[in-house]
């Protein structure tokens, strides 16, 4: 049995070996926490983005999209609170000279207690067999109840200390829990300090005439500053949403875990403008809708859970994360935030422009409240990719590595393989590629024995392999092999398009929502 660390290492090396993700500027030994998407990765990423865009924009007649610039007027970030409050608490270890996020050290400590709970559950499930009731067990088993209470009390204290900017108490908590440097075991810590995560840059030709700018740390502000332009030109009526996908930048203190926490990453965000007082209703609606979107991809409902924020960001009156079970445990994948009228009111204040909506039903103007859904595209990529990578034992005592990507997201929907490189089979195979490529991204592969080609396509995540053999010459049929079941059947070339479409069409997947 592979442990989680090994599984994660496999994910990273598979992503590189099969052309999904490369370290940035690798010939110069890479750049920490910056990655490039390779030929297959860029397709998977685009498909995830399209799946999100279609669900959010195309399927909602009251949501439209924009694409705002990364550079924004510097006052934007003063107004949004990022200049003053977009900080992470950091702590250094005096012996190892390593820097950590103080809150992450405490959260990792709690994750270890959670792993103990999982172990107890696993043991009990074995002991009780079919009669095991997990819910009852975790609410009645004293050891598990104590573990749970400990986690809750630690996280609640951490949340309060961070909220009150009581960094001395965060350090005290680390010391009381005897948290050690994960790399060296040393407990020789500095004080906890705040560190602003925004990257600064300059615009302008000369030093005297340049202006200080920030690279945007979230795409959301590009939506807020365009709120009135979109509302007026699109004649939008509340409730309505504005969606955007694009790059964001954060100077993360602890950038690790591959593409989970990057310094340059992509967000898919939607700000939903609503009448003040209706935020609870929309908060519930978007929690449910976004969870259904995730579940429609079939990565396993048990791999998602909600986590309510103890420490609310400076702009929110309620917030939660949709967490996903990554190879290193449950972690934030998406945030759902009730942002009140904080952002629009702040931009009104700093710009001196009215950012209000005239509500014809109420016959009055107001600053709308905002419900935000915010998901990291790279994190979603990691969720899909890591969940899909499996090693399967086969009947003949061999194993195969297969990337069981949801077919709708796979880079190639099919690969066409001539059984041999002669007798006119490659020509027919290329003809099939030329027919299918109008509808799908299709690969052509003629190198090596067909069994090896199947394995290669399995590892690449291609849902279908289409093999052209000598029978094809006689009756225009081919075999179509399914990646997950490995079942093969003989079909007419003319039937291929519909057969593939049935399984990869976005409509079929989104209709599961
Ligand atoms: N506009 C709200 C906002 O930016 P957030 O919780 O800071 O909220 C939203 O970020 C999402 O962006 C996260 O749930 C995560 O998926 C993604 N994200 C944040 N920081 C990231 C990073 N350093 N690397 C990759 N993804 C990140």
């Amino acid at each position: 049995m592979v442990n989680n660390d090994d599984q994660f290492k496999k994910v990273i090396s598979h992503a590189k070996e099969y052309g999904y993700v490369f370290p940035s500027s690798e010939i110069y030994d890479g750049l920490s926490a910056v990655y490039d998407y390779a030929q297959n990765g860029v397709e998977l990423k685009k498909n995830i983005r399209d799946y999100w865009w279609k669900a959010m924009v195309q399927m909602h007649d009251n949501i439209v999209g924009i694409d705002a610039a990364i550079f924004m007027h510097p006052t934007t970030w003063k107004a949004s609170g990022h200049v003053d409050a977009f900080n992470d608490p950091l702590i250094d270890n005096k012996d190892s000279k390593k820097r950590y996020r103080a809150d992450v050290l405490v959260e990792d400590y709690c994750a270890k207690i959670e792993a103990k709970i999982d172990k107890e559950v696993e043991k009990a499930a074995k002991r009780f067999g079919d009669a095991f009731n997990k819910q009852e067990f975790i609410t009645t088993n004293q050891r598990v109840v104590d573990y749970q209470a400990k986690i809750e009390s630690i996280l609640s204290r951490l949340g309060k200390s961070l909220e009150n900017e009581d960094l001395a108490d965060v350090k005290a908590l680390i010391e009381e829990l005897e948290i050690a440097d994960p790399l060296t075991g040393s407990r020789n810590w500095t004080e906890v300090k705040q560190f602003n995560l925004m990257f600064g840059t300059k615009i302008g030709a000369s030093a005297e005439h340049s202006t200080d700018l920030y690279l945007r740390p979230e795409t959301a502000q590009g939506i807020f500053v365009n709120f009135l332009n979109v509302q007026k030109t699109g004649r939008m009526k509340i409730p309505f949403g504005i969606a955007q996908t694009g790059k964001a930048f954060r100077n993360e203190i602890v950038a690790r875990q591959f593409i989970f926490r990057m310094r340059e990453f992509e967000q898919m965000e939607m700000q939903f403008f609503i009448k003040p007082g209706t935020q609870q209703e929309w908060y519930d609606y978007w929690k449910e809708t976004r969870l259904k979107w995730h579940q429609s991809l079939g990565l396993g409902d048990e791999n998602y859970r909600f986590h309510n924020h103890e420490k609310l960001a400076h702009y929110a009156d309620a917030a939660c994360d949709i967490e996903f079970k990554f190879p290193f445990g449950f972690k934030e994948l998406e945030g759902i935030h009730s942002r009140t009228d904080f952002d629009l009111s702040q931009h009104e204040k700093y710009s001196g422009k009215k950012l209000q909506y005239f509500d014809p039903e109420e016959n009055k103007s107001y600053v709308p409240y905002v419900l935000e859904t915010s998901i990291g595209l790279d994190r979603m990529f990691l969720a899909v990719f890591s969940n899909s990578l499996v090693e399967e034992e086969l009947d003949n005592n061999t194993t195969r590595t297969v990337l069981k990507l949801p077919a709708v997201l796979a880079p190639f929907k099919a690969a066409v393989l001539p059984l041999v490189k002669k007798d006119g089979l490659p020509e027919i195979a290329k003809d099939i590629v030329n027919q299918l490529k109008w509808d799908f991204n299709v690969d052509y592969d003629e190198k090596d024995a067909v069994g090896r080609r199947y394995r290669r396509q399995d590892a690449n995540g291609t849902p279908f392999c289409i093999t052209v053999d000598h029978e094809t010459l006689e009756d225009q049929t081919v075999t179509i092999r399914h990646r997950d079941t490995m079942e093969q059947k003989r079909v007419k070339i003319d039937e291929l398009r519909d057969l593939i479409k049935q399984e990869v069409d976005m409509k079929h997947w989104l209709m599961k929502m």
Side-chain angles (χ1 to χ4, degrees):
M1 174 129 168
V2 278
N3 70 29
N4 292 347
D5 267 1
D6 289 345
Q7 172 61 15
F8 192 37
K9 280 188 194 137
K10 276 199 180 134
V11 166
I12 298 170
S13 64
H14 197 89
K16 182 165 177 209
E17 193 181 337
Y18 284 86
Y20 278 84
V21 183
F22 299 148
S24 156
S25 25
E26 199 185 8
I27 56 168
Y28 296 106
D29 295 333
L31 185 63
S32 165
V34 186
Y35 290 89
D36 296 340
Y37 286 89
Q39 66 278 13
N40 286 319
V42 75
E43 295 286 341
L44 173 56
K45 194 176 170 199
K46 176 174 121 349
N47 292 342
I48 297 173
R49 194 191 293 111
D50 288 349
Y51 195 67
W52 181 87
W53 191 268
K54 196 156 188 165
M56 299 298 277
V57 181
Q58 191 169 326
M59 298 309 293
H60 286 94
D61 51 17
N62 58 351
I63 299 183
V64 292
I66 61 163
D67 184 14
I70 288 172
F71 291 142
M72 297 184 70
H73 192 285
T75 310
T76 309
W77 306 110
K78 194 74 196 144
S80 68
H82 284 81
V83 171
D84 297 321
F86 194 55
N87 301 318
D88 271 347
L90 68 82
I91 190 165
D92 291 293
N93 188 281
K94 290 184 196 161
D95 297 327
S96 71
K97 310 276 181 258
K98 292 273 173 215
R99 177 161 283 187
Y100 295 94
R101 258 178 68 175
D103 54 337
V104 171
L105 284 178
V106 176
E107 280 164 11
D108 285 351
Y109 179 90
C110 291
K112 282 191 191 132
I113 308 180
E114 209 162 283
K116 286 186 189 164
I117 297 179
D118 289 347
K119 272 227 170 81
E120 293 291 336
V121 171
E122 215 173 284
K123 270 196 309 202
K126 262 198 201 130
R127 203 165 57 235
F128 295 115
D130 288 345
F132 182 62
N133 178 334
K134 183 175 169 190
Q135 197 49 35
E136 190 182 318
F137 179 76
I138 56 178
T139 47
T140 54
N141 178 282
Q142 198 51 47
R143 201 173 290 169
V144 172
V145 170
D146 290 346
Y147 282 149
Q148 202 61 52
K150 188 166 180 193
I151 293 176
E152 274 158 30
S153 112
I154 293 172
L155 291 182
S156 141
R157 176 163 159 202
L158 176 70
K160 280 200 192 98
S161 313
L162 290 173
E163 190 139 352
N164 300 333
E165 294 274 323
D166 186 355
L167 299 181
D169 191 56
V170 178
K171 174 160 189 211
L173 183 61
I174 289 174
E175 283 175 341
E176 279 166 42
L177 297 174
E178 301 186 344
I179 295 176
D181 180 335
L183 290 175
T184 62
S186 156
R187 295 201 193 111
N188 194 3
W189 296 111
T190 62
E191 299 306 309
V192 177
K193 281 176 282 191
Q194 291 290 20
F195 174 79
N196 193 287
L197 299 183
M198 283 198 294
F199 282 107
T201 185
K202 284 182 188 302
I203 197 164
S206 65
E208 310 92 77
H209 298 109
S210 68
T211 310
D212 287 324
L213 292 185
Y214 293 106
L215 296 184
R216 66 180 179 198
E218 61 171 11
T219 56
Q221 298 304 323
I223 294 179
F224 291 124
V225 299
N226 279 298
F227 156 74
L228 210 54
N229 280 341
V230 173
Q231 191 272 318
K232 288 216 179 318
T233 56
R235 297 184 308 281
M236 309 301 291
K237 292 205 167 47
I238 272 181
F240 74 91
I242 305 178
Q244 169 165 231
T245 70
K247 287 277 174 112
F249 304 82
R250 295 183 190 178
N251 196 1
E252 298 284 357
I253 303 166
V254 192
R256 55 192 167 126
Q257 295 169 321
F258 192 37
I259 55 172
F260 181 81
R261 196 178 302 286
M262 299 157 92
R263 297 204 161 104
E264 171 180 344
F265 58 101
E266 190 164 338
Q267 288 186 314
M268 306 192 287
E269 297 200 300
M270 193 277 301
Q271 311 295 324
F272 200 66
F273 298 93
I274 55 174
K275 198 192 282 188
T278 61
Q279 63 267 37
Q280 183 64 46
E281 180 192 319
W282 287 112
Y283 182 61
D284 296 341
Y285 171 84
W286 281 110
K287 272 175 75 175
E288 192 189 328
T289 306
R290 292 302 305 146
L291 183 65
K292 279 194 192 148
W293 180 84
H294 285 284
Q295 290 171 334
S296 71
L297 287 169
L299 304 182
D301 292 0
E302 69 286 1
N303 291 321
Y304 300 90
R305 70 181 189 193
F306 283 110
H307 167 76
N308 292 325
H309 285 198
E310 294 279 346
K311 179 193 183 250
L312 291 173
H314 57 274
Y315 50 72
D317 73 352
C320 68
D321 299 331
I322 297 178
E323 292 189 336
F324 183 76
K325 196 168 182 191
F326 289 96
F328 38 84
F330 272 101
K331 294 273 176 203
E332 172 184 350
L333 172 57
E334 169 156 8
I336 319 272
H337 311 128
S338 173
R339 290 183 80 126
T340 67
D341 59 358
F342 176 83
D343 302 271
L344 289 180
S345 299
Q346 286 289 99
H347 287 305
E348 272 201 328
K349 192 166 124 197
Y350 279 80
S351 68
K353 311 265 165 32
K354 260 196 171 2
L355 296 177
Q356 301 197 354
Y357 171 77
F358 177 74
D359 190 328
E361 281 166 26
E362 305 267 324
N363 199 26
K364 66 171 189 197
S365 294
Y366 54 76
V367 179
Y369 268 41
V370 170
L371 225 294
E372 167 183 72
T373 71
S374 174
I375 173 170
L377 175 49
D378 314 85
R379 240 175 236 192
M380 185 63 197
F381 183 110
L382 182 59
V384 170
F385 193 88
S386 59
N387 181 276
S388 302
L389 185 62
V390 288
E391 198 106 317
E392 264 183 9
E393 303 274 340
L394 301 179
D395 291 343
N396 59 1
N397 280 337
T398 58
T399 56
R400 71 163 181 154
T401 301
V402 47
L403 191 61
K404 292 188 169 177
L405 297 172
V408 64
L409 301 181
F412 287 107
K413 304 307 183 201
V416 188
L417 326 171
L419 187 65
V420 288
K421 268 194 274 183
K422 55 183 184 181
D423 305 335
L425 303 189
E427 288 74 13
I428 300 179
K430 282 178 192 162
D431 256 3
I432 297 176
V433 170
N434 286 333
Q435 283 173 38
L436 292 178
K437 74 181 178 194
W438 290 93
D439 295 289
F440 319 109
N441 208 14
V442 184
D443 195 13
Y444 172 81
D445 191 0
E446 61 173 26
K447 194 169 172 287
D448 301 322
V450 77
R452 280 189 69 176
R453 280 180 271 168
Y454 284 154
R455 288 287 175 277
R456 192 153 60 222
Q457 294 296 337
D458 287 346
N460 219 23
T462 312
F464 295 106
C465 282
I466 296 158
T467 307
V468 175
D469 56 20
H470 291 94
E471 229 180 296
T472 314
L473 296 171
E474 285 157 29
D475 60 6
Q476 276 78 52
T477 63
V478 289
T479 55
I480 183 161
R481 173 186 178 273
H482 200 278
R483 176 195 67 198
D484 298 348
T485 60
M486 294 192 288
E487 266 169 22
Q488 303 190 18
K489 65 177 177 180
R490 199 119 204 134
V491 300
K492 288 249 177 245
I493 292 174
D494 291 349
E495 293 168 350
L496 285 171
R497 181 184 166 277
D498 286 348
L499 265 174
I500 299 170
K501 193 166 161 47
Q502 263 171 33
E503 295 220 17
V504 307
D505 196 12
M506 252 187 214
K507 179 175 168 186
H508 296 293
W509 290 78
L510 283 173
M511 280 173 79
K512 293 184 213 156
M513 269 183 78

